[in-house]
Amino acid sequence: RSLSLMRIGIALVCIADLIIRTNDLTAHYTNNGVLHTDVLYQNNGRPGMWSIHGLSGNYSFIVALFSIHFILAFLFLIGYKTRIITIFLWVMTMSLQNRNVYITQAGDELLRLVLLWGIFLPWGNYFSVDSRNQEKKKRNIKQKSRVMKEQQDTTKLEFLMTVNDNIIVQRFFNIRDFNPKAKNSINLYEYLKEFKEQLCRSEEHTS
């Protein structure tokens, strides 16, 4: 549960961080701000740095990425497809921070590292949509098992073929271990034989 509470806390931090960054969205993340995309990778001091946000300095493009980021943070908060969402959220956080490294701080790096390690953590097991779906699956499995058990407990009919009161074909379908009322073949044969005799006697009386 502690990991799940940690997930909720990290999600709230991500949402709060995005809200704060939207106040200076134009100044920090578009070509109308302090860092044009043409000079983004020239003096960043990070070899191999990448950023989806740096693909374009268009305002609408950045707003779309921020919207996607907000949606991912919300899905992460409620614990929907937690592991996959954690991966995408980490990617978007990396991209956002790398778009303008001059405004980053130690807290940004800590957030990025926590999301990276969170990919391998089971922090969607509680207080999440995933945990509720898992409980539904377990209930369905138990219900199916109970139905199968009830079907096994049902007494099934035996098939007999006799010639001159001798059993020549016998198929035994009862599951006696599950149903104590199940009858074996000989008992059923005796019952049918007695029933036949009663029919014969009744026919004799009527004639």
Side-chain angles (χ1 to χ4, degrees):
R1 288 185 174 84
S2 59
L3 287 175
S4 298
L5 292 174
M6 178 182 175
R7 183 201 79 239
I8 295 173
I10 295 298
L12 293 176
V13 169
C14 290
I15 293 173
D17 180 61
L18 287 171
I19 293 174
I20 293 172
R21 290 177 187 271
T22 53
N23 295 327
D24 298 307
L25 187 146
T26 301
H28 291 163
Y29 303 104
T30 68
N31 285 343
N32 294 326
V34 296
L35 187 61
H36 198 280
T37 53
D38 293 338
V39 297
L40 175 61
Y41 299 105
Q42 293 180 5
N43 300 307
N44 55 68
R46 291 184 181 180
M49 190 195 72
W50 55 270
S51 174
I52 301 173
H53 294 71
L55 295 177
S56 173
N58 183 271
Y59 179 82
S60 299
F61 178 75
I62 298 300
V63 169
L65 291 180
F66 265 75
S67 300
I68 294 173
H69 204 156
F70 267 113
I71 293 173
L72 290 173
F74 176 74
L75 294 177
F76 183 63
L77 174 65
I78 64 176
Y80 178 78
K81 303 292 185 182
T82 308
R83 190 176 301 277
I84 297 175
I85 294 299
T86 303
I87 295 174
F88 285 112
L89 185 60
W90 172 73
V91 170
M92 291 299 293
T93 302
M94 282 277 294
S95 174
L96 178 64
Q97 294 178 5
N98 289 338
R99 174 61 180 86
N100 193 340
V101 296
Y102 299 108
I103 60 173
T104 58
Q105 48 150 323
D108 295 323
E109 301 215 1
L110 180 60
L111 177 61
R112 188 169 67 244
L113 290 174
V114 170
L115 288 174
L116 175 62
W117 287 109
I119 296 172
F120 310 100
L121 296 178
W123 55 7
N125 289 351
Y126 296 95
F127 314 122
S128 65
V129 176
D130 291 345
S131 62
R132 180 169 296 182
N133 292 338
Q134 193 66 24
E135 290 177 0
K136 288 182 180 180
K137 289 181 181 180
K138 290 181 180 179
R139 285 197 297 267
N140 291 337
I141 292 174
K142 289 182 180 179
Q143 185 176 3
K144 290 180 181 179
S145 300
R146 186 169 59 252
V147 171
M148 292 178 64
K149 177 75 164 53
E150 292 175 354
Q151 291 176 348
Q152 289 177 340
D153 288 345
T154 303
T155 304
K156 299 179 182 179
L157 182 64
E158 298 178 24
F159 172 74
L160 297 172
M161 182 179 293
T162 63
V163 174
N164 296 328
D165 294 333
N166 295 315
I167 300 175
I168 60 174
V169 177
Q170 173 184 339
R171 296 298 303 275
F172 186 55
F173 292 104
N174 285 334
I175 306 176
R176 303 189 65 188
D177 293 336
F178 292 94
N179 190 351
K181 296 182 180 180
K183 302 295 183 180
N184 59 34
S185 299
I186 299 301
N187 291 340
L188 182 59
Y189 169 72
E190 295 295 339
Y191 173 78
L192 292 175
K193 182 178 179 181
E194 181 180 355
F195 181 71
K196 177 183 176 182
E197 292 175 353
Q198 291 177 357
L199 287 177
C200 292
R201 285 196 296 269
S202 62
E203 289 179 357
E204 291 176 358
H205 287 307
T206 54
S207 59

